[in-house]
Structure formats: C-alpha cells, structure tokens
Amino acid sequence: MLQKNIDCFLSKYRECSIAIYGTGLNAERVLRNVKGYRFNYVISSDTDWIGCYFEGIKVEKLENVIEYIDVILIAAVPSITRIIYERIKEEVPQDIVIFDMMGNQLNKKRNFCENEYWRIRKTDLIAAIDMHDVISFDIFDTLLMRRFLFPNTVFKIVSRYVEERGWTFDFFELRTDAEKQMYVKGMNPTLNDIYNQIEKNSGISCIQLDKCKELEIKIEKENLILRKDVAEAFHYAVNNGKKVYITSDMYLPKKVLDSALAEKGIKGYIEILVSCEEKSSKQNGGLYKHLKDIVNDESIIHIGDDLYADIEMAAANDIDTFYVMSAKDLFLHSSAAHLLSYVHTAEDEILLGVILGEIFGDAFLLGKTKGSIMLNTIDKLAKICLAPITMQFVGWLVESLRRKEKDIVLFVSRDGYYLEKLYRKIQETHPELKLPVSQYFYTSRKIMNEAVAQDVSDIAVLLSTIDEYRKSETVEYVERLFQIPFSEELSDFCGRSLNKVSYDELVQSVAKHKEKIFSHSVNVRRNYKTYIHSTGIMDYQDVYLVDLVSHGTSRYGLSRIVGKEVYLLALGTTKLPNAFVKDTAYVNSLYGEMIIGAGSVIGTMFAVLELAYSSKDGQAMGFDKKGQVIFDKKTKYNEFLLEKIQKSIAEFIEFYPDRKWFSYLCSKDLAEALLGLLDAEVSDISDDVKNLFDFSDLFQEKRQKYNVLKLIRGEVDLAL
C-alpha cells in the first residue's frame, strides 16, 4: 500500500536523486518497503544521528548534500513535517522539489491564489446595481444553483427511477438526444416539446413519459439552492425600487421557474423572460433585445455567470454586465479543483455536485481566502469532509452484510456509536436487504489487553505491538499494556527504551511472570464475560465486528473470550497478517492495508473519524461484577462537537438527492479525497472550529492529550 501511495506522486522522479528527511518510523518504512527509486541520502538535524547509518544509508546534514539532490521527501507525520519544512524552506533552492508523505509539494507555488476574481466583493455588485435603473438577473448558477456537477445529472437520477420500475428504455440517452436534436435545429424548446420529441423518437407511452417529466421537475426543484450573496443583491435591488427582471435560457416554463424562485424567497421581480417561451435566447441576443424593448431607454445591467451568453452577448446589445462566477467555475479555480480527477461515475457527479453547493453557494467567499476553501463551521466541515466517507463506509457495510440476517454485527465503542445508529436505521427500514441486527458494543484496547491473557501465546501476541511504541520506556510500556506494576520484576529493563530491546528477549522476560498476569486477567475477563452474555450475542450464528482502522486487536480478544472466530469489517487495516490476525479470511476492509500516519489520507486522518463517530461517554476502562461498563470521564470528547458533527452528517444524508444512497456509492478515491480537504495545504479552518478537537488517549505515546485536527494539519507539535 505504501508503494502504491508513494508511486502516485513520486513515480516521475524515479531517475532523480532523492533524499529522505527523517530517521523515524516513516523513514524506515519508506526505505524498507518502497522500491524503484534512488534514495541516495538520509537527512537529519539531530546531531546524534549525523555520521551514523540508517537503513544502510549514511545520515547527513542538509547543507552537506543539498547540491547533490533533486527531491526531498519529508518522511514524518504532518505535525513534524510542518516544523521541518518551516526550518529548511529558506535553505532549499526552488529547483529541488519537497514532498510530504501525502504527496503535497510543499514548495509549489499556489496558482489558485492568483485570480482577478478574488478581488471582487458583494459591495462591488451593490455599487453596480446603484448605477442602473433596470437590473436583469440570470437564474441558474447565478441566483440559484443546482446541487449537481452537470445539469444532465438529473437525467441519471430519473434513469434510476425508470430502472427500479422495471421499464426497459434508456431514459438518459433518450432525454439527452431529444434535447440535442431540438437545439441543433435552432429551436428554443419547452420541456413539453422535449418530451414530445422523446415520444416521437421512441414510441414510449405518454403515461410513462409523463411520470418521468414530473419526476424531473421534482428533482430539479428539490435540488436548487440559493446563492446567498447574489440573492441578497437581488433583494437590495427590489427594496431600492429598481426594476428587476429575470432573464434565462431554459426549457422549464415560467410557471415552474416562478414556483422555484418563490420557494427560495426570490420575489418582487417584474417579469421572467425565458427562452423557451419567448422563442429567442441570450445566446443569439434575442432576449436582450426583448428586454430593451420593454424598458425603453432606461439603463440596464445584466448579472450572470456565463461569459458568452451573460457577458459578451449582453455587452454586444449595449447592456452593462456584472460577472458572477458559478459554483462550478469557483471550484475549478480553487484549491479543491483536484477533486474533479476523482469523478468517474454518476454517483461521483451527484456527490461532488452536492459538495459544490455546500462550499460555493457564496459567490464571493473565495476572495477572502484567495482560492483556498474555507471550513469555518463544524456543519460545513462535517458535511464536506466527513459525510461522504461515512456514507461510503456504511454503504459498503450494508453490501457486505446483505442476507446475513442470522448473524449479528457489533459496532465497537466508542467510534462505532454513530455508525451503528446509521446502519440500524437502514436495517430497520429496508427489511428486503435481510441485514443482521446490530449492537453498539463496549470494548477498548485497555480492556482487551487486560482480559485476553490466558496463556503464554496471548502474552506474546500482546507484546507484538512493541514496534508501535518503540520510543517508550520498556517497563512503562509493559505496565501500561497489562495494567500491572512490573518495575521490580523487570528491573533489568529500567531506563531502556523499546528500540534497544529485542522482541524475543522481552517476551521471555515477561513470560516468567505469567501467573501475575493471568491472575489479574482472570478477574477482568470474568466481568467482561458477564457483560458479553448480557448482550445476547452468543445466540447468533456468526459475529461481525466493525472497526475503523484496525490492527485486529479487538477481533483477536473477542474471539479468544467467546471461544470462536469473530469476523472483522474495517475501513482499513494495518500490517496484516500479524500476531492478532493470522488468517486474513476473517478480515475484510474497504480501503485495505494502510500505514497509520503515512502515505494515505485515511492513514493520516482517521483519528478525526474516530472522534466524529464517538459517543459522549469516555473510553471504556472495564466492567464491574454485574457487567456494567466503567468509563474514564477524563477522556470524554467535547459533547457540543459530537452533537454538531453527527447532526450535520445526518442532515447531509437526509437531503441527499438519492434516497437509496447506500446502494449507489461514489468512488472510494473521491470519498477519501474529500476527507483530504482537511489538509492545511487545501483548506482554511477557523481557530474556533479547530479548538473543539482536543482529545485524550491513554494509549498514545507522549501525547495523551492533544488536538486531533491541529495534529493532522501539521499545526501543532505532538504534545499540548
């Protein structure tokens, strides 16, 4: 997986001289696992490393090798990457490319910042309105916008309705061809004209086509949103006594447009001039001539998004103009433009269109950030970055669990809390899927580590996590793992870090004190079993465990405790097979193998998802004799944050254009790329939002308390 991720951005530099900056775990992973590159140098600012060998390469100071390298790959987590880059950016010539582990070129000029449109403000539009008597507004992409990437996406949604009805015609092709035929002939057709042409071309019954037409209008109206700043300018014009007209090239009749505008609060205009009824268009200047005939010699300004139809043709008819960039054009000129490369299917078009509505409803917003998208509220952050991958994961779970109604699926605490609610709603409202019942299930690494030890093999398995904590002090690591004091028994290891201790040596030493571990474990396990039996999960045929990014720890522990193999369904997995998962037949994951903190968006940012889906309780620390869960209240998340995130994701799904979203999933790459908008290279996030993401984790080395969002954006050091 790391090879694939690195290849995505580094492959064209295979013949170049590349330096790895860093001597940590990520640098080690790159040098051990990524092949086909000339990794000639390792760079460090740590004087203890200079002159030593790291993975067979001599470690050098930057200044000593700068003239021999073409590319620098900073092999570190985002927080450290940002610190390193700020330290070295003045020393590195512009012709040397600097990458982070996500593939961002850190010293690349941000071209999206250079755009004349970013200087335009709503106040400029208001000033232009003040200077004219008659104000003409375009509708689509100016006053209103569709929540679709392309206008014909609505035809694809109607096509699904046709398929579900069992009708055998290709609605999308028929609808597209009929409209094209009429425009090629120079006509300005109404919607009725287009559907009459479909009937003529296909012979399909008017009853079926009438239902398609009704649905098309319904979907159009349901998925129109207001462009707030332009709408405010419209109301300003009306309230200040201007003569306001609506001028649109469109096949929808005035009656439908009137209704759609009224539903969004757009009222007070004198008349709608629409091409299909006036039998002339903005494209040929006919609508502008008609407008001029109506208002005589009064000064006119037309406001629109199309540089030809709204700006050039209006000017050609001696009408002043004001250009308002459409949401799609804003997107293509913004820091998020790369998302277009991930659009491959109709589902992708639908999703990205909805996202554009969330980000670019304000026509002048990007001027404040010079093209960088702004995530200035929890609602916006949750809908844009978190909702798509949530839908992707839950939809994948639904597909994975169809027709398994005799089984049970457990969503592990605490990041399974919201996922279980979302899954359960689908399970209860769609019995035809025959999904297994679900349960939010209390567990944690701490509980599993304490409860699972029944023989020496379990001790060996638990100690296999040594590599993840290799900078920890050895005795501290063992005590935290088993929740038992070990300083006397392991006195030979006092003061030694894990990277100076072999795995076999540690297992042998700890195993000598197995009775102490087993004695503690049996009591913890007894209470845990009481809880497990109270859930009734033993009554089901198979047990599925849902986790986010998993090493297999919970699956291993639960399998050992209940005495049968438990299946794991995960967003992603790490280092499989391993000591916890020897047989990968029991594991399935949506995104497959990944390295935490390196190379992939999810591997870097999954901690935000863990927080977003969580319950308001703290971490589960154990169970009492009655099987009641005991929480660590110090690890509770911000309740306001959780409530806002989960409510926003629910709203995004509720108003999604396709009600059966779980059956029509977007591309995995697009969902992951939208999560990647959290990256500091792409987005601006207000401090008020970022400060809500403080987090405590007793198992995180050297950062038991930290800010999740700032950490993944590289805006804070590891410890607060």
Side-chain angles (χ1 to χ4, degrees), residues 70-134:
D70 304 304
V71 178
I72 296 174
L73 174 60
I74 302 178
V77 296
S79 55
I80 298 300
T81 297
R82 178 60 53 187
I83 294 169
I84 292 171
Y85 177 68
E86 292 299 324
R87 184 191 300 141
I88 70 173
K89 66 181 181 181
E90 302 301 329
E91 302 176 49
V92 179
Q94 278 298 309
D95 60 341
I96 295 177
V97 180
I98 306 175
F99 285 111
D100 65 12
M101 291 289 287
M102 295 281 288
N104 295 310
Q105 184 179 335
L106 302 178
N107 58 342
K108 180 181 180 180
K109 185 178 180 181
R110 305 176 87 194
N111 293 328
F112 59 80
C113 296
E114 307 299 327
N115 192 312
E116 287 297 314
Y117 186 77
W118 303 155
R119 299 182 182 183
I120 299 172
R121 299 289 186 270
K122 184 176 70 174
T123 52
D124 299 318
L125 177 54
I126 296 297
I129 288 171
D130 284 336
M131 295 170 63
H132 296 81
D133 303 313
V134 177

Side-chain angles (χ1 to χ4, degrees), residues 484-601:
I484 306 171
F486 263 103
S487 55
E488 292 184 10
E489 291 85 350
L490 299 178
S491 58
D492 290 347
F493 292 93
C494 287
R496 294 169 63 186
S497 60
L498 286 173
N499 57 7
K500 295 181 180 179
V501 175
S502 75
Y503 169 70
D504 290 338
E505 178 188 9
L506 187 59
V507 171
Q508 289 175 11
S509 297
V510 173
K512 292 177 182 177
H513 309 286
K514 60 181 183 294
E515 296 305 327
K516 182 175 183 178
I517 295 172
F518 296 158
S519 176
H520 176 71
S521 180
V522 71
N523 293 322
V524 176
R525 188 164 57 252
R526 183 186 303 114
N527 293 349
Y528 197 20
K529 281 186 172 182
T530 301
Y531 164 70
I532 290 171
H533 286 296
S534 73
T535 65
I537 67 174
M538 303 302 294
D539 298 332
Y540 293 89
Q541 182 172 294
D542 285 321
V543 177
Y544 288 83
L545 202 66
V546 174
D547 207 347
L548 287 181
V549 178
S550 178
H551 198 59
T553 311
S554 294
R555 191 209 77 89
Y556 174 82
L558 188 59
S559 297
R560 289 284 287 145
I561 291 170
V562 301
K564 69 176 182 177
E565 293 291 351
V566 171
Y567 291 87
L568 173 65
L569 298 174
L571 184 67
T573 53
T574 62
K575 299 181 183 178
L576 297 187
N578 58 38
F580 295 96
V581 181
K582 291 186 171 66
D583 185 353
T584 56
Y586 291 99
V587 177
N588 194 10
S589 67
L590 176 59
Y591 283 88
E593 282 288 288
M594 58 186 59
I595 294 176
I596 293 177
S600 70
V601 170

Side-chain angles (χ1 to χ4, degrees), residues 320-496:
D320 292 335
T321 64
F322 193 98
Y323 174 58
V324 173
M325 194 176 277
S326 69
K328 185 176 177 182
D329 284 337
L330 284 171
F331 160 63
L332 293 174
H333 289 86
S334 77
S335 62
H338 64 283
L339 293 174
L340 190 61
S341 64
Y342 298 104
V343 175
H344 308 298
T345 66
E347 288 73 36
D348 297 343
E349 291 178 16
I350 293 169
L351 174 60
L352 191 54
V354 175
I355 294 297
L356 297 196
E358 294 292 340
I359 301 177
F360 303 113
D362 183 335
F364 308 111
L365 180 65
L366 292 188
K368 301 169 187 175
T369 60
K370 293 188 177 180
S372 179
I373 65 167
M374 181 179 287
L375 305 174
N376 55 348
T377 66
I378 292 296
D379 182 69
K380 188 171 285 190
L381 183 151
K383 289 178 177 177
I384 294 166
C385 302
L386 307 182
I389 201 160
T390 305
M391 295 166 70
Q392 178 71 244
F393 186 36
V394 173
W396 175 80
L397 289 174
V398 167
E399 184 59 36
S400 301
L401 293 165
R402 282 176 188 251
R403 296 176 294 279
K404 296 184 184 295
E405 67 269 31
K406 294 181 180 179
D407 303 331
I408 188 170
V409 55
L410 307 178
F411 289 77
V412 298
S413 64
R414 54 186 159 158
D415 47 55
Y417 174 76
Y418 180 70
L419 295 172
E420 194 273 335
K421 288 176 65 176
L422 187 53
Y423 169 89
R424 180 162 24 97
K425 185 174 182 180
I426 298 169
Q427 189 262 335
E428 292 174 350
T429 55
H430 292 276
E432 73 278 6
L433 299 175
K434 298 182 179 180
L435 295 171
V437 297
S438 63
Q439 187 171 126
Y440 178 57
F441 184 77
Y442 288 111
T443 188
S444 67
R445 281 170 295 174
K446 177 185 178 299
I447 293 171
M448 286 301 186
N449 289 344
E450 287 187 85
V452 77
Q454 302 178 58
D455 57 40
V456 172
S457 67
D458 291 321
I459 294 174
V461 168
L462 294 174
L463 288 171
S464 69
T465 59
I466 182 172
D467 191 50
E468 297 177 48
Y469 303 96
R470 63 185 194 149
K471 291 185 179 180
S472 293
E473 199 274 328
T474 302
V475 176
E476 179 185 307
Y477 162 76
V478 174
E479 290 181 336
R480 190 167 67 237
L481 193 65
F482 295 104
Q483 295 293 303
I484 306 171
F486 263 103
S487 55
E488 292 184 10
E489 291 85 350
L490 299 178
S491 58
D492 290 347
F493 292 93
C494 287
R496 294 169 63 186

Side-chain angles (χ1 to χ4, degrees), residues 549-692:
V549 178
S550 178
H551 198 59
T553 311
S554 294
R555 191 209 77 89
Y556 174 82
L558 188 59
S559 297
R560 289 284 287 145
I561 291 170
V562 301
K564 69 176 182 177
E565 293 291 351
V566 171
Y567 291 87
L568 173 65
L569 298 174
L571 184 67
T573 53
T574 62
K575 299 181 183 178
L576 297 187
N578 58 38
F580 295 96
V581 181
K582 291 186 171 66
D583 185 353
T584 56
Y586 291 99
V587 177
N588 194 10
S589 67
L590 176 59
Y591 283 88
E593 282 288 288
M594 58 186 59
I595 294 176
I596 293 177
S600 70
V601 170
I602 293 175
T604 302
M605 299 187 174
F606 79 97
V608 173
L609 296 176
E610 285 189 326
L611 187 155
Y613 303 148
S614 288
S615 70
K616 296 176 182 179
D617 302 315
Q619 287 179 320
M621 303 301 291
F623 298 87
D624 62 20
K625 292 181 180 180
K626 295 181 179 179
Q628 298 296 310
V629 64
I630 301 168
F631 299 107
D632 182 351
K633 295 181 180 179
K634 293 181 294 185
T635 61
K636 291 178 71 172
Y637 292 126
N638 185 308
E639 293 188 12
F640 170 79
L641 176 67
L642 296 181
E643 189 174 317
K644 287 290 290 182
I645 287 176
Q646 293 170 14
K647 181 181 178 182
S648 297
I649 294 174
E651 287 177 354
F652 185 90
I653 293 171
E654 181 181 356
F655 295 105
Y656 197 70
D658 197 326
R659 295 294 183 258
K660 288 190 176 180
W661 55 268
F662 49 84
S663 295
Y664 301 99
L665 299 178
C666 73
S667 303
K668 291 192 298 182
D669 288 348
L670 178 57
E672 188 174 19
L674 286 164
L675 177 64
L677 294 182
L678 292 173
D679 194 304
E681 290 296 307
V682 184
S683 62
D684 288 355
I685 301 179
S686 64
D687 287 337
D688 288 346
V689 170
K690 284 186 285 194
N691 290 337
L692 295 172

Side-chain angles (χ1 to χ4, degrees), residues 157-308:
I157 297 178
V158 177
S159 291
R160 289 180 181 170
Y161 167 87
V162 168
E163 291 170 9
E164 289 171 3
R165 284 292 186 101
W167 297 345
T168 56
F169 56 89
D170 187 337
F171 174 81
F172 179 80
E173 184 176 346
L174 289 170
R175 174 66 175 81
T176 304
D177 288 348
E179 183 176 338
K180 189 183 299 181
Q181 277 180 264
M182 306 191 83
Y183 280 115
V184 166
K185 293 177 182 177
M187 301 173 65
N188 291 290
T190 64
L191 189 63
N192 286 338
D193 293 334
I194 294 170
Y195 272 84
N196 289 338
Q197 186 67 42
I198 295 174
E199 186 177 1
K200 181 179 177 181
N201 291 346
S202 65
I204 297 168
S205 76
C206 59
I207 295 175
Q208 289 177 321
L209 290 178
D210 282 347
K211 289 187 179 298
C212 291
K213 182 170 63 177
E214 289 172 12
L215 184 60
E216 180 180 338
I217 293 172
K218 181 174 182 288
I219 292 170
E220 281 274 19
K221 291 178 70 174
E222 283 180 349
N223 289 283
L224 288 173
I225 60 175
L226 207 61
R227 300 201 77 196
K228 184 180 175 184
D229 278 359
V230 184
E232 288 174 357
F234 169 89
H235 293 306
Y236 174 85
V238 170
N239 293 336
N240 282 273
K242 304 294 182 180
K243 296 178 181 178
V244 179
Y245 288 81
I246 304 294
T247 311
S248 177
D249 284 349
M250 190 58 185
Y251 46 75
L252 292 175
K254 286 183 184 181
K255 183 179 179 181
V256 173
L257 295 176
D258 232 339
S259 172
L261 289 165
E263 287 176 10
K264 302 301 176 185
I266 302 297
K267 302 175 183 178
Y269 49 83
I270 294 172
E271 188 178 354
I272 295 178
L273 305 179
V274 59
S275 60
C276 69
E277 296 191 10
E278 302 298 335
K279 300 305 177 185
S280 61
S281 70
K282 292 184 292 185
Q283 293 281 342
N284 61 24
L287 274 185
Y288 296 122
K289 290 183 175 66
H290 184 43
L291 176 62
K292 290 180 72 174
D293 289 342
I294 294 173
V295 301
N296 296 317
D297 295 328
E298 294 179 280
S299 62
I300 309 171
I301 187 170
H302 178 68
I303 300 158
D305 70 286
D306 189 306
L307 286 172
Y308 178 75

